[in-house]
Amino acid sequence: MKKSAGSIPINEEPKIKEYRQFYINGAWTDPVSDDSIDVLNPATEEVVARIGAGTAEDVSRAVVSAREAFNSFSQTPKQERVELLTEVRDLYKKRFDDIAEAIRLEMGAPGHLAFGAQTAVGLGHLKTAIRVLEQFDFEQQREKFLIRYEPIGVCGLITPWNWPINQIVSKIAPAIASGCTTLLKPSELSPISAHVIAEIINEAGVPAGVFNLVDGFGPIVGEAMSAHPDIDMMSFTGSTRGGVAVAKGSAETVKRVSQELGGKSANIVLDDAALEKSVRAGVLACMENTGQSCNAPTRMLVPNGRHQEAIEIAKEASESITVGNPEEDQTQLGPVISEVQFNKVQNLIQSGIDEGAMLVTGGMGRPDGLSKGYFVKPTVFAEVRSDMSIFREEIFGPVLSISTYGDADEAVAIANDTPYGLAAYVSGEDPIQLMHFARRLRAGQVHLNYTGGGTDAPFGGFKQSGNGREKAEWGLEEFLECKAILGN
């Protein structure tokens, strides 16, 4: 197989970058097929890169590599894995700007987001994984037996386009820490940053076969991974529909499946003096990353008596957001990822209008002055009922729904009236009331006054938002099997 540098640095010509090779067994290799996939910059609708279109045969080659590597890598001393992750972390720091620029290009992310949270979170995951690994005891002596935690084996990782580095590193770092070997299929919509990660791993001296990368479409590469008998675990982040497909594909081989899926997070705003601050912060949190976050607070619940006040605050906050060219410093919101996503968001906005919700601001079409790119107007609906599509469906765009509640019981009932349970939010001044609501909400994370968990708090959902947990020690344990040795 041909070995090369793997990809062209993203700040050099030619205009369309070629990333057609896959990273298998410690080398950049040509795919089986000559087919390729275009990668568009959603802000310009122009092709900026091409990747290889993987096949089931490419998956099998990568799995053979990972299986062979597992025999030795699973036995490495903990300190050796700590040193390996430390080297990856140090190289990540050196390539920080390259990763951020890749995200800006493939997602149309504004600079403050690409060079801020989107890239910084990957570094955070590496630091956390190193700390957790240093402190984790893989053998724990009990009175009559020994508990031993061992790597589960070869792990298939499928990651989404909306927070590409967050999800890639939150899987790779604990997998390496555990002693597992991996095959990554990044989203075909945002794969460039994944190739930079592969270059970092290669330069860090991660043993051949421990990390492999195959690009391609989910129904081809993802299905081949799920069904492959030599993959012991699938870790999937994406839509609930995609998670169901992975679970079904994995069922025949009874492999472990860890899923972080969709969300439709409620945000209960308390009836107190902090209402203006809570509503304004809730609008901005919903719109962040152009609304393309599975844990975004997209359903705002406000007290009956303060509905009009909340509408006026939300309108002003939404209309203050600058949408436009991601390369301009003043831009706060970029485009959604693709034409398919743009059309989905537009259709759901139209459904909100058709089903009788009050359109407070925003609406159909691109923002004024933007004729190209998949830009969406920051949109706020009020008087949203629980039977409306915009209340029930994950929109994944900058669209906020406002509903009202009478008392605490009704607020909790409305918040929990969803098949999802990834996150929930409660905002206000009274800490006792905040905790009262938090304990009753059916979600994997509850944010009080928009406090984030960083890379230390477990992340995952209830109900159709998935199973399993990522980040910190909970993320490490996802990649481990528990063995009891009796009579020692």
Side-chain angles (χ1 to χ4, degrees), residues 419-449:
Y420 299 110
L422 185 59
Y425 297 73
V426 190
S427 50
E429 289 189 317
D430 186 342
I432 295 175
Q433 282 296 306
L434 292 173
M435 285 301 300
H436 172 73
F437 281 101
R439 291 189 175 99
R440 299 177 67 189
L441 293 170
R442 297 279 295 164
Q445 279 195 343
V446 180
H447 303 257
L448 304 182
N449 289 325

Side-chain angles (χ1 to χ4, degrees), residues 268-279 302-303 306 309 313 405 426-434 437 449:
I268 300 174
V269 176
L270 300 186
D271 187 6
D272 58 29
L275 185 131
E276 179 169 359
K277 181 174 68 173
S278 297
V279 170
V302 301
R306 307 191 73 175
E309 184 182 353
I313 297 165
Y405 66 89
V426 190
S427 50
E429 289 189 317
D430 186 342
I432 295 175
Q433 282 296 306
L434 292 173
F437 281 101
N449 289 325

Side-chain angles (χ1 to χ4, degrees), residues 73-86 88 125-136 138 149-152 169-182 206 210 472-473 475-477 479-480:
F73 189 68
S74 62
Q75 302 303 310
T76 54
K78 180 172 80 170
Q79 185 56 35
E80 188 174 319
R81 300 198 299 276
V82 167
E83 292 169 1
L84 198 59
L85 283 171
T86 301
V88 171
H125 284 305
L126 286 166
K127 292 178 178 178
T128 297
I130 293 167
R131 174 184 58 78
V132 169
L133 177 57
E134 288 175 330
Q135 297 174 355
F136 193 83
F138 287 86
Y149 291 95
E150 298 180 356
I152 192 169
V169 182
S170 69
K171 296 180 191 299
I172 290 174
I176 291 175
S178 71
C180 288
T181 59
T182 62
V206 173
V210 170
E473 56 263 42
L476 176 64
E477 289 170 2
F479 293 92
L480 295 172

Side-chain angles (χ1 to χ4, degrees), residues 15 39-49 104-109 324-327 334-338 366 370-375:
K15 187 175 182 181
V39 181
L40 274 63
N41 180 340
T44 64
E45 302 182 42
E46 296 176 348
V47 177
V48 293
R104 186 197 65 77
L105 195 66
E106 65 195 3
M107 287 192 64
N325 185 348
E327 297 185 22
V336 294
I337 190 68
S338 67
R366 294 181 176 91
L370 295 170
S371 59
K372 183 182 290 187
Y374 307 122
F375 295 95

